[in-house]
Amino acid sequence: MTMTSILFHAFIVLTAGAGLVMAISRNIVYAAFLLFVVLLGVAGLYIFAAAEFLAVSQVIVYVGGTLIVVIFGVMLTAKMREMRPQTEFVNLIPGALVAMALFLALLFMIRESGVLKTNEVAARAVVDNTRQVGIATLTDYLLPFELVSILLLTVLVGAAYLSRKTKIEKEEVAE
């Protein structure tokens, strides 16, 4: 067994184990930190799949952005001092059955698609995927890329406005 194989299996065990513990965790703060581990594990698996662009995007967007917002949202909530938020086991058996069915369906689709067969030509084509994605983003897909950035900026400004408006309304009610 090579070192690459050992690291690949370690990432699989880390990601699946953290995902399982996250799913059954009753403490929402622990679940948020375990989500961090799961997302980093998925980024590592993307690297093993020779999808460096997806790995970097995973870390920047999900780990760096979304998860930090979730953690701050959980930790900075004003009601955290009065109550201890916990998740409950609701529909555990049906959820486990649906998850197992989805897993088996995905496994069947992967086996039938022939993706697992190694192809030397495809392996060489994947090596330069980050450069190709960058060139395509800034040439062929520049307009959609800019429209998405404007949309995200609008959402950010709207969220800041709504949170500020709520704060001002609370101050007026207190007076």
Side-chain angles (χ1 to χ4, degrees), residues 16-39:
L20 180 66
V21 174
M22 179 189 70
I24 63 173
S25 176
R26 295 194 61 136
N27 189 329
I28 198 163
V29 177
Y30 292 154
F33 282 110
L34 286 166
L35 180 62
F36 176 76
V37 173
V38 169
L39 293 174

Side-chain angles (χ1 to χ4, degrees), residues 75-155:
M75 297 181 89
L76 296 177
T77 302
K79 295 181 180 182
M80 287 290 285
R81 293 189 181 120
E82 293 105 31
M83 61 181 225
R84 300 187 60 92
Q86 294 188 351
T87 58
E88 296 180 15
F89 292 109
V90 179
N91 298 326
L92 182 64
I93 293 174
L97 291 174
V98 169
M100 185 60 71
L102 285 173
F103 175 75
L104 292 174
L106 288 172
L107 188 62
F108 176 75
M109 289 189 322
I110 289 171
R111 285 190 64 195
E112 292 298 316
S113 69
V115 172
L116 297 177
K117 298 175 185 169
T118 58
N119 186 350
E120 191 174 312
V121 176
R124 275 188 267 130
V126 169
V127 171
D128 204 24
N129 69 351
T130 305
R131 181 182 172 147
Q132 292 170 355
V133 168
I135 290 171
T137 300
L138 296 176
T139 56
D140 298 335
Y141 300 104
L142 182 61
L143 182 63
F145 179 75
E146 291 299 328
L147 289 175
V148 167
S149 68
I150 291 170
L151 177 69
L152 291 174
L153 179 63
T154 305
V155 168

